[in-house]
Amino acid sequence: MFRYLSFSLALLATTPVFAQINATVDNINSVYDADTFRVDIAGWPDIVGKNIPVRVNGVDAAEIRGKCLSEKEQAKAARDYTKAFLQSGSTIELRNIQRGKYFRLLADVYVDGASLSEALIASGHARSYHGGTREGWCALN
């Protein structure tokens, strides 16, 4: 028990530990929107690997609780795209893992080697994003 707690605290405390490893998703628990979902991570202790939220690195998508009806509709379509993309493969990998806001993991997400970020951008469901001020989604349709 102490060994797992020590391992868990080390994972939580230091970003470089995350950045040096990749993880394989064992189960997709839920998909909230196009760039946020919850998973179980194979081989990780429950405290850091069970029902853990993941934020997809490198993209910004419309928000489910958006500012207008158009944004909410775009968000639902993007969420459904992400859900289908994640379910389409046999292996989901989290690469370049970092600690993000709200206790989420920030990671590059790959499904059978295909980048979720690239697929979301190519399909028009997301835009490239690397911090800073985000553009709105209400003017788009």
Side-chain angles (χ1 to χ4, degrees):
M1 172 77 170
F2 180 71
R3 184 175 67 188
Y4 286 119
L5 183 58
S6 297
F7 173 75
S8 301
L9 292 175
L11 285 176
L12 291 172
T14 60
T15 298
V17 171
F18 281 112
Q20 296 173 7
I21 60 173
N22 295 332
T24 302
V25 171
D26 193 39
N27 185 53
I28 303 163
N29 297 324
S30 63
V31 178
Y32 177 72
D33 61 17
D35 53 20
T36 308
F37 52 92
R38 287 183 169 271
V39 299
D40 296 337
I41 299 175
W44 284 27
D46 287 353
I47 193 167
V48 293
K50 194 80 153 174
N51 200 33
I52 192 78
V54 175
R55 169 76 168 76
V56 181
N57 190 29
V59 296
D60 174 48
E63 300 295 328
I64 294 292
R65 295 181 183 192
K67 296 180 180 182
C68 65
L69 180 59
S70 174
E71 180 176 7
K72 293 174 186 178
E73 289 171 350
Q74 291 173 78
K76 289 177 185 174
R79 175 199 59 204
D80 294 346
Y81 181 89
T82 292
K83 192 180 295 187
F85 192 88
L86 292 172
Q87 293 172 344
S88 70
S90 58
T91 303
I92 301 171
E93 289 180 279
L94 306 178
R95 300 179 188 171
N96 303 314
I97 299 169
Q98 301 172 34
R99 174 63 61 205
K101 291 188 205 176
Y102 316 115
F103 193 69
R104 296 182 297 195
L105 298 180
L106 178 63
D108 298 327
V109 179
Y110 289 84
V111 178
D112 292 343
S115 168
L116 175 57
S117 296
E118 290 176 10
L120 282 166
I121 293 167
S123 68
H125 290 295
R127 296 184 286 238
S128 180
Y129 177 74
H130 298 285
T133 304
R134 298 183 308 177
E135 296 177 39
W137 289 90
C138 289
L140 303 175
N141 212 0

